[in-house]
């Protein structure tokens, strides 16, 4: 089945220790997204790629970076995690067509910062 | 002003009953799309149903239907014959315009199905 895969499902890191979350997709979609979701809140878009074109949201902290080495993979790097960065991180993809642009999500990675 | 409003923070519904989750939206763009997602406690965000602003008929997907009232700017999700597995957080979201990849999200409604 075509899908969006996120690894790991749970990640524990220490305050200030860099961490990388990964996302892969077999849908062959052009657009990939990273969201941060805190408890009982709606997801917040951090950035997205249309193919290799990177689009950063204005309020995304510099502490968050992303890489998309090819169509299938996208990484979220948190350079110096703080306690406030503990959250669910959701990766999503979409085709990149102008109409009926549905985003499909992976299972998410829960990040805990100690 | 809120662009997507979900007025029900939480709902309890008896199993097998139908349930309606409310969503109102605000946009001046004539072209937009409305989405409903389900998020169980496991965390995965599951796409349920889509309604385009120019769609003539209300969207349906299995037990899910969307009651789209364009003049009222509402897009309520109806779940028929609710099941225990329907217990989850439900989010309404909107995409404005064409070529715009950002979704605007509502605050969500926590639905609990009682046996």
């Amino acid at each position: 089945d075509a899908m969006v895969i996120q690894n790991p499902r749970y990640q524990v890191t220490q305050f200030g220790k860099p961490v990388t979350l990964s996302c892969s997709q077999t849908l062959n979609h052009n657009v990939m997204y990273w969201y941060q979701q805190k408890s009982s809140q709606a997801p917040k878009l951090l950035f997205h790629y249309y193919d290799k074109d990177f689009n950063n949201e204005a309020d995304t902290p510099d502490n968050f970076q992303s890489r998309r080495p090819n169509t299938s993979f996208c990484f979220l790097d948190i350079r110096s995690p703080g306690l406030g960065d503990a959250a669910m991180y959701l990766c999503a993809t979409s085709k990149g067509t102008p109409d009926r642009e549905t985003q499909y999500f992976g299972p998410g990675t829960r990040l805990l910062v100690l | 002003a809120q662009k997507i409003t979900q007025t029900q923070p939480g709902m309890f519904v008896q199993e097998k009953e139908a349930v309606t989750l409310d969503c109102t939206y605000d946009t001046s763009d004539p072209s937009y799309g409305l989405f409903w997602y389900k998020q169980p406690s496991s965390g995965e965000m599951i796409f349920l149903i889509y309604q385009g602003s120019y769609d003539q008929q209300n969207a349906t997907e299995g037990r899910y239907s969307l009651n789209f009232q364009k003049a009222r700017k509402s897009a309520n999700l109806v779940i028929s014959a609710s099941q225990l597995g329907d217990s989850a957080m439900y989010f309404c979201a909107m995409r404005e315009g064409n070529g715009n990849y950002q979704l605007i999200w509502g605050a969500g409604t926590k639905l609990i199905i009682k046996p």
Side-chain angles (χ1 to χ4, degrees), chain B residues 49-103:
Chain B
I49 197 165
Y50 169 85
Q51 181 83 44
S53 59
Y54 295 120
D55 291 346
Q56 295 296 312
Q57 293 187 329
N58 287 348
T60 61
E61 290 284 350
R63 292 188 300 114
Y64 304 108
S65 61
L66 204 151
N67 184 2
F68 181 46
Q69 298 193 34
K70 198 169 181 177
R72 294 185 179 184
K73 293 190 174 179
S74 75
N76 297 340
L77 177 70
V78 180
I79 306 173
S80 63
S82 58
Q83 302 170 356
L84 295 179
D86 294 332
S87 294
M89 196 75 168
Y90 288 80
F91 289 98
C92 179
M94 176 174 67
R95 176 189 52 77
E96 292 178 299
N98 285 326
N100 179 6
Y101 299 104
Q102 186 171 28
L103 286 177

Side-chain angles (χ1 to χ4, degrees), chain A residues 16-79:
Chain A
K17 184 174 181 183
V19 66
T20 295
L21 310 181
S22 73
C23 176
S24 63
Q25 53 127 345
T26 61
L27 296 162
N28 203 31
H29 282 173
N30 289 319
V31 192
M32 294 188 77
Y33 309 78
W34 278 106
Y35 287 89
Q36 179 193 64
Q37 187 181 27
K38 297 193 175 178
S39 183
S40 301
Q41 295 181 20
K44 177 180 179 298
L45 182 64
L46 295 174
F47 21 61
H48 75 275
Y49 279 91
Y50 187 105
D51 199 9
K52 289 188 180 294
D53 292 335
F54 177 70
N55 297 272
N56 197 32
E57 294 303 301
D59 57 353
T60 298
D62 293 340
N63 197 26
F64 292 86
Q65 303 285 317
S66 184
R67 297 170 282 136
R68 188 179 184 185
N70 54 52
T71 302
S72 301
F73 285 87
C74 196
F75 299 97
L76 170 62
D77 300 310
I78 308 176
R79 292 192 295 187

Side-chain angles (χ1 to χ4, degrees), chain A residues 9-10 31 33 35 37 40-45 48 50 57 88 90 94-108 110, chain B residues 31-32 35 37 39-47 50-52 54-55 59 89 91 95 97-103 105-108:
Chain A
R9 295 292 307 275
Y10 298 89
V31 192
Y33 309 78
Y35 287 89
Q37 187 181 27
S40 301
Q41 295 181 20
K44 177 180 179 298
L45 182 64
H48 75 275
Y50 187 105
E57 294 303 301
M88 173 72 97
L90 294 165
S94 65
K95 285 186 181 178
T97 53
D99 193 24
R100 308 185 76 87
E101 185 66 1
T102 300
Q103 294 185 19
Y104 297 93
F105 286 78
R110 288 189 193 271
Chain B
S31 176
Y32 55 89
F35 302 81
Y37 285 88
Q39 189 175 39
S41 57
S42 60
E44 183 172 3
M45 193 72 77
I46 302 166
F47 166 69
Y50 169 85
Q51 181 83 44
Y54 295 120
D55 291 346
M89 196 75 168
F91 289 98
R95 176 189 52 77
N98 285 326
N100 179 6
Y101 299 104
Q102 186 171 28
L103 286 177
W105 296 82

